Amino acid sequence: MAKTESEKAANRRYKEKNIDFIAFETRKGKKAEYQQVARDLGLGQMEMYRLAVEEFIANHAGGDFLPVVKPAPIMSPPAEKLSSQEKTLLLEFNKLPTDVRKALLKTIETINANQSVATENHDTD
């Protein structure tokens, strides 16, 4: 259905008032790769980019960023391999405030580290 000129003008005014536009350049071929990753994760491209930036800020806003020479491979399983419960959990996790997500991830890392130490101690007994 075609939009009227007044609808187009209303959309432009809304975007000018409420939306920031961000663009970036990447090497040839990366766009298709990013599109495929977004599809595999069950996300739209813009949603994936926004989440990636927010995750980066959440994990490195304290100045603990070390530049990575080569990007690490995405470790998330493709969306079709996730159960519906796992998909729901990931979507809900992404809705949490950034500071809460960061604290939760640090808690999980601590629990995993403690479990590893307990396992190593048990193996040496």
Side-chain angles (χ1 to χ4, degrees), residues 71-101:
I74 294 176
M75 300 307 289
S76 299
E80 64 271 5
K81 293 185 179 179
L82 294 175
S83 70
S84 61
Q85 186 177 21
E86 290 169 325
K87 287 179 187 177
T88 302
L89 181 61
L90 286 173
L91 290 173
E92 292 303 315
F93 178 79
N94 286 329
K95 291 178 186 177
L96 293 171
T98 302
D99 58 331
V100 173
R101 282 187 282 165

Side-chain angles (χ1 to χ4, degrees), residues 1-60:
M1 185 171 144
K3 290 187 177 184
T4 65
E5 288 303 316
S6 63
E7 288 174 321
K8 290 178 184 177
N11 283 341
R12 276 193 304 274
R13 284 192 304 273
Y14 175 83
K15 285 185 175 185
E16 287 172 1
K17 185 177 180 182
N18 298 295
I19 305 293
D20 282 332
F21 178 78
I22 300 173
F24 67 96
E25 297 176 349
T26 188
R27 293 183 187 265
K28 285 280 187 191
K30 286 293 189 181
K31 180 179 178 182
E33 180 183 336
Y34 297 162
Q35 288 170 330
Q36 184 60 51
V37 169
R39 276 192 298 272
D40 290 347
L41 294 171
L43 299 170
Q45 269 185 275
M46 293 301 119
E47 180 70 1
M48 183 182 77
Y49 298 153
R50 186 187 61 75
L51 290 172
V53 169
E54 289 179 3
E55 180 180 325
F56 184 89
I57 291 169
N59 291 320
H60 304 293

Side-chain angles (χ1 to χ4, degrees), residues 102-114:
K102 189 173 183 179
L104 183 56
L105 289 172
K106 287 191 186 262
T107 301
I108 292 169
E109 287 173 1
T110 303
I111 291 169
N112 286 338
N114 289 341

